[in-house]
Amino acid sequence: MRILGLSAFARDSAAALVVDGQLVAAAQEDRFSRTKGDSGFPTRAIRSCLRTGGLQASDLDGVVFYEKPLRKFERVLATQLGAFPHSARTFSRTLFLWLGDRLWLKNRIASELGVPPQKILFLEHHLSHAASAYLPSPFEEAAILTIDSEGEWATTTFGRGHGSELELTGEIQFPNSLGLFAAAITQFLGFEPNADELKVMELAAFGTPRFAGELESLLRPASDGSFDIDLSAFRFAFDSELTFGPGLAQRLGPPRIPGSPLRMNGADSRDADLAASLQDLLERSVLALARNLRERVPSENLCLAGSVAWNARCNARLLREGPFKRIFVQPAAGEAGGALGAALYAHQALAKGSPRWRQTHTFLGEPLGDVTEDLSSVSARALAGPDGGARELAGILARGKALGVVRDRFEWGPRSLGNRSLLADPRSSAASETIRRAIKRREPFRSFSPAVTAERAAEFFDLPPGSEDLTRFMLATVAARPKARESAPLALHTDGTARVHVVHREENPAFHALLTAFGEETGAPILLSTSLNLRGEPMVRGAADALAVFDRTPLDALVVGESLLER
Ligand SMILES: [Fe+2]
């Protein structure tokens, strides 16, 4: 059975291909279009997944879209009309968007793929998220929690999974949305809503949560974990471009103008304090939801998806203080993950009892392929040795050079986990500054993350029991031990924590070998690791994208497949 899952028209449009129950390929459209977070129809991602799976569209038994467009349109229409005349400015644009592709999606999919309309299915948005979290998890049974900005009506759902089946048992509906609440505060802080929430999470480390009470009065949590947002301060119910209203400024002072200096130090730390307040409230809200869920689903395991599940600080606190012993988060927790969840769910529904695919890595993109032609006009040499050049690359890194790596299949989800990565010695300020200023052009308050071998991770980081499903995908922040403060000072947050990537040999032997060789050279198998891309661009996909980065930046060295370029 061959099922293609799709997500589109929100953020991170994507395709995922399931063949006989196994996820054989998954990719976001933005890797191909080079528009970060591309929300268009994922034509190129579909073609890529089919190529990787060796299939034609005519081979597909079904195509599943990750939400129900008609139900979503009904909700959008109802909330826009309900907010009139405040929604007058956005109403015509909304209608224009919906009366284009979105409402006639079945026809669009049928004509793009040449698949008969009866093979095209639509699944609820949060059921797709729930399936993306539970079905690939390592658990035989689990509680399921999905938390995002918006779907059709649900914004948060509760559920349970057992064997190959899952069901949703409760929901919180729009406009009560933790994702939209966080997006509005993100925009108030001068960042991009529904995109820069993790920057705000990092900014939170510099502040104290002195506005937590103020924000709580706007979220109005109830004893059962639900909440009732005071809409007088927000516009997100009817306006996706300006998500907060004047009521927010009355409580918190003026919004930060994008690009202006951040108020995060000394006498004026309003912005960092507001970020810390949001983070604290999010953590407590998710904890309350989880505790309530645990009362209804007596499992030790939790599966989590939806964009709020990317909050690594929140996940860590949930593991520390919450009622579940193990937590699995779909690495593509946002809208892209819906494509994967929809495909896995449809496969289980159509081929009942087939074994579940378990996700232990994110290398689901198209393989790098033959790069001979790409490298023909540059001076590259083959990496030699039985270790694939690990020792040589470790030497380059230990000399304080910034190294890009492009190998094998590209990552699914927003994190580079070794195949499209930018690496540096986490003690080298020269290399980390090259990455920060010249390549990523990152804000100074943002931190980098460490990658460490699984065998030696516990020497350097305090890894709580049950965190292994999170740390292999960089989905939890953990405390750094003194040894990490010595060996990897530039890959830690200001508060001594780190969003660590624990690298297992069986999942990425080449990256593991490089870390091991670096450890032999320097004493610590830890590298500063971030995604290989320029600021504002999606992660590089193939050799051409990587060579463009090498060309336009002072990156010292670049691995493309089995070849090395050096300046
Ligand atoms: Fe979603």
Side-chain angles (χ1 to χ4, degrees), residues 52 73 160 168 176 192 251 268 270 324 367 373 381 390 423 438 441 479 529 558:
T52 305
F73 183 57
R160 69 178 83 208
L168 297 182
N176 289 314
E192 199 185 327
R251 290 169 163 91
D268 190 1
R270 197 283 306 259
F324 297 99
E373 203 177 316
R381 62 187 170 82
L423 306 172
R441 291 198 278 133
S529 170
L558 175 68

Side-chain angles (χ1 to χ4, degrees), residues 29-358:
E29 184 71 3
D30 71 356
R31 304 292 199 274
F32 300 88
S33 69
R34 309 309 300 158
T35 301
K36 194 171 184 183
D38 196 331
S39 61
F41 189 81
T43 304
R44 285 160 283 197
I46 293 170
R47 281 197 213 122
S48 165
C49 288
L50 291 172
R51 258 195 317 270
T52 305
L55 298 180
Q56 307 284 327
S58 55
D59 298 325
L60 294 169
D61 298 295
V63 179
V64 201
F65 192 69
Y66 85 128
E67 67 182 10
K68 300 205 168 194
L70 274 175
R71 282 212 73 205
K72 188 166 183 177
F73 183 57
E74 168 200 288
R75 189 265 295 166
V76 169
L77 209 54
T79 46
Q80 291 257 332
L81 291 172
F84 206 79
H86 304 293
S87 57
R89 194 173 59 85
T90 56
F91 188 68
S92 55
R93 196 174 57 85
T94 304
L95 272 188
F96 177 77
L97 278 176
W98 278 91
L99 295 177
D101 283 345
R102 300 183 183 190
L103 275 184
W104 322 114
L105 189 54
K106 194 174 232 184
N107 296 346
R108 170 85 190 262
I109 295 172
S111 66
E112 284 253 352
L113 291 175
V115 171
Q118 63 271 24
K119 284 190 179 177
I120 301 167
L121 310 167
F122 295 86
L123 202 66
E124 283 90 2
H125 186 108
H126 277 263
L127 191 53
S128 299
H129 278 317
S132 80
Y134 173 67
L135 289 174
S137 79
F139 311 132
E140 277 309 304
E141 50 75 34
I144 306 170
L145 182 59
T146 69
I147 313 172
D148 74 351
S149 294
E150 53 186 321
E152 295 91 3
W153 282 96
T155 63
T156 298
T157 63
F158 310 95
R160 69 178 83 208
H162 191 272
S164 58
E165 309 219 324
L166 70 148
E167 58 171 345
L168 297 182
T169 55
E171 66 180 38
I172 296 173
Q173 290 198 340
F174 187 92
N176 289 314
S177 164
L178 277 183
L180 286 173
F181 185 88
I185 305 297
T186 297
Q187 189 174 34
F188 187 84
L189 283 168
F191 297 103
E192 199 185 327
N194 289 307
D196 286 343
E197 280 69 17
L198 292 192
K199 289 188 187 177
V200 174
M201 179 189 83
E202 291 186 19
L203 182 60
F206 293 86
T208 51
R210 66 184 166 100
F211 299 107
E214 205 74 61
L215 290 185
E216 196 161 345
S217 72
L218 292 169
L219 191 75
R220 300 191 297 217
S223 57
D224 66 352
S226 67
F227 43 86
D228 176 30
I229 293 176
D230 177 356
L231 290 173
S232 69
F234 299 102
R235 294 169 55 87
F236 58 66
F238 56 87
D239 189 347
S240 59
E241 287 181 6
L242 181 59
T243 56
F244 61 87
L248 204 56
Q250 279 162 19
R251 290 169 163 91
L252 303 169
R256 173 178 168 252
I257 294 164
S260 66
L262 270 168
R263 296 153 67 184
M264 56 181 286
N265 294 308
D268 190 1
S269 57
R270 197 283 306 259
D271 296 340
D273 291 345
L274 182 53
S277 307
L278 173 66
Q279 182 64 28
D280 179 59
L281 183 57
L282 270 182
E283 289 173 10
R284 287 186 288 118
S285 303
V286 174
L287 266 171
L289 290 168
R291 287 184 179 129
N292 187 262
L293 173 62
R294 178 67 161 70
E295 281 174 24
R296 287 181 274 167
V297 184
S299 174
E300 296 193 329
N301 308 315
L302 176 67
C303 295
L304 203 57
S307 54
V308 174
W310 270 322
N311 194 305
R313 287 178 181 277
C314 192
N315 295 341
R317 186 159 167 197
L318 192 53
L319 192 61
R320 259 192 338 263
E321 298 177 29
F324 297 99
K325 286 194 176 157
R326 281 181 75 179
I327 302 175
F328 175 85
V329 177
Q330 167 53 234
E335 307 302 64
L340 176 145
L344 291 175
Y345 185 90
H347 187 274
Q348 286 297 339
L350 296 170
K352 279 202 184 304
S354 54
R356 282 160 53 196
W357 170 75
R358 312 290 174 138

